[in-house]
Amino acid sequence: MRDIFLPLLLPATVVLVVLMVLGTPGTVLVAALITMAGFVMAIIASRDSVQRQLQLLARRTRGRAEGTPALPSSSEDDTLEEVANLAGAIDSLHAQLNSQNAQLTQEARTLTAVLDGMIEGIWVTDAEGTVVRHNDALREMLQPGSAGITGQRPLALIRNEELNDAVMRACREGSSSRLELTLEGLFPRTLAIRVTPLGKDLPGSAAVFHDVTELRRLEKVRKDFVANVSHELRTPITAIRGYAETLQSGALKDAEMAPKMVEIIHRQSERLSELVEDLLELSRLESREVQLKIANVPLAVAASRAAETVKPKAAGKNIHVELQLPPTLVARGDERAVEQVLLNLLDNAVKYTPAGGRVDVFGTLEEGRCVVRVKDTGVGIEPKHLSRIFERFYRVDKGRSRDMGGTGLGLSIVKHLLGAMEGEVKVESQPNVGSVFVIFLPVATAKAASG
Ligand code: ADP
């Protein structure tokens, strides 16, 4: 207020002096008029100054709110104390808002980073069930078209009434639900979904999508495995028990039948023991119990040992087995394991090749790896089975495999053994033409060679 009354001080003093000097009534009137005019001028001048300062303050505040470069603060020396105080309060409010804003931005960025870092897909909907936010994982899972995910209704993204109902229930009734669904397509995916309301004072819902495809596949593999093992064991056991009982109940005295039955019992018990051996080997490999002795393995030696074992079977079917492996081809691996791999592949080649065919084994060095190809002129494998034949108990033709004495575990063992030696196995095949199983192993190192 000092700034308003200061300008009034001068005319008031002048009037006072004139009054004192002249002391006449007419002059007093003139002096009073002069004083009033001075008052009015002072008030107008003071109001203009306040208006100017307030306008400048308003412009500065608006400019800050809109983020335009800050205007300089009032350059007038006569800035009113009240205006200056107001400007100070606005400045401190602005600073406070700025810091809260920065904090909120930081929190929003952290939330986005956490959501996008998650394996689970997430979407958030508004009260009407329209998706308003989602993370990167969900985009990966749903692979939406150009329309994207935000702004879409659940049914437009996933054609599933159950999910749509769950979202609407969460939005309207505030209830949570869990469901599982399969997204069809080239690679079908199984999703376990949990839908929850956002909160009491927060309308809308959130859904978390967990991809359980692999989990469900493994569960199925485990269940199939148990079922397969029981079935595989039951077949020879049933045969052994049946023939043993028949022998007990008199057939033992049948000089013609008895030796045949004993022969079957013997064959089935051998099959049983092979099955148990393979199962044990596989379980040891899977639990990494097998201690491999990694050393240099000359592949020509390993292949010729394996070929020796299958020779009688090959000769019985008049199948020609030929080996072409340079003696210099030396892999890094476990000798027994490499031999086992080659034996399983040669055994299969002979098993699935009709009489009179041939089996060739080639060894080469390719791109710094030892490569062995076991090629046959057998029944071949249809493309749809190729990716599955390395699974436990998977057989293209169950009957034929069993007739040939197969356990359905040979290729699975091959895959595991090679995996343990940093190698791998591939297959190429053409039905009724033949198959080529290709194994890759690391080349022997100079250090191991001298050791
Ligand atoms: P099996 O004991 O039945 O031979 P494997 O695990 O060794 O079990 O092989 C799995 C399946 O792959 C076999 O049942 C057979 O259908 C197919 N298979 C393996 N090797 C060959 C081959 N050389 N030619 C044709 N089919 C093969």
Side-chain angles (χ1 to χ4, degrees), residues 348 351-352 376 381 389 394-396 401 406-408 410-411 435:
N348 277 350
K351 219 158 53 178
Y352 298 108
D376 65 51
I381 304 162
I389 55 172
Y394 189 86
R395 291 135 150 164
V396 175
S401 159
T407 60
L411 286 182
S435 311

Side-chain angles (χ1 to χ4, degrees), residues 270-433:
E270 266 189 345
R271 179 171 165 66
L272 200 59
S273 102
E274 256 171 44
L275 199 64
V276 171
E277 278 305 314
D278 278 1
L279 276 171
L280 284 176
E281 173 87 356
L282 205 55
S283 124
R284 277 196 298 263
L285 279 168
E286 283 184 345
S287 60
R288 299 182 202 286
E289 263 178 44
V290 180
Q291 291 290 320
L292 296 180
K293 289 194 205 93
I294 302 294
N296 285 349
V297 185
L299 291 174
V301 177
S304 88
R305 280 201 195 130
E308 275 303 307
T309 313
V310 297
K311 228 177 202 168
K313 204 190 251 182
K317 289 174 80 178
N318 191 26
I319 290 173
H320 179 71
V321 180
E322 197 168 313
L323 309 181
Q324 290 181 47
L325 297 102
T328 48
L329 193 66
V330 182
R332 188 166 160 71
D334 176 285
E335 195 181 351
R336 192 195 72 89
V338 173
E339 249 179 71
Q340 173 86 58
V341 164
L342 290 170
L343 177 60
N344 285 9
L345 294 182
L346 274 168
D347 187 57
N348 277 350
V350 171
K351 219 158 53 178
Y352 298 108
T353 297
R358 63 177 293 145
V359 173
D360 287 282
V361 184
F362 306 100
T364 51
L365 191 68
E366 287 171 24
E367 292 170 6
R369 289 200 293 179
C370 293
V371 183
V372 180
R373 290 185 167 78
V374 179
K375 182 174 183 288
D376 65 51
T377 56
V379 294
I381 304 162
E382 276 184 66
K384 65 177 179 188
H385 299 291
L386 286 179
S387 63
R388 301 205 55 193
I389 55 172
F390 296 96
E391 287 173 21
R392 295 175 295 193
F393 291 120
Y394 189 86
R395 291 135 150 164
V396 175
D397 182 334
K398 280 194 172 69
R400 181 166 57 201
S401 159
R402 276 202 203 98
D403 292 347
M404 306 276 184
T407 60
L409 297 172
L411 286 182
S412 189
I413 292 175
V414 165
K415 191 177 159 196
H416 273 88
L417 283 174
L418 285 170
M421 294 186 288
E422 291 170 27
E424 61 174 325
V425 56
K426 289 184 182 165
V427 58
E428 293 153 19
S429 188
Q430 228 182 313
N432 302 319
V433 175

Side-chain angles (χ1 to χ4, degrees), residues 32-50:
L33 282 173
I34 292 171
T35 309
M36 273 183 60
F39 261 110
V40 170
M41 277 169 61
I43 287 171
I44 289 172
S46 150
R47 200 198 58 190
D48 282 354
S49 160
V50 170

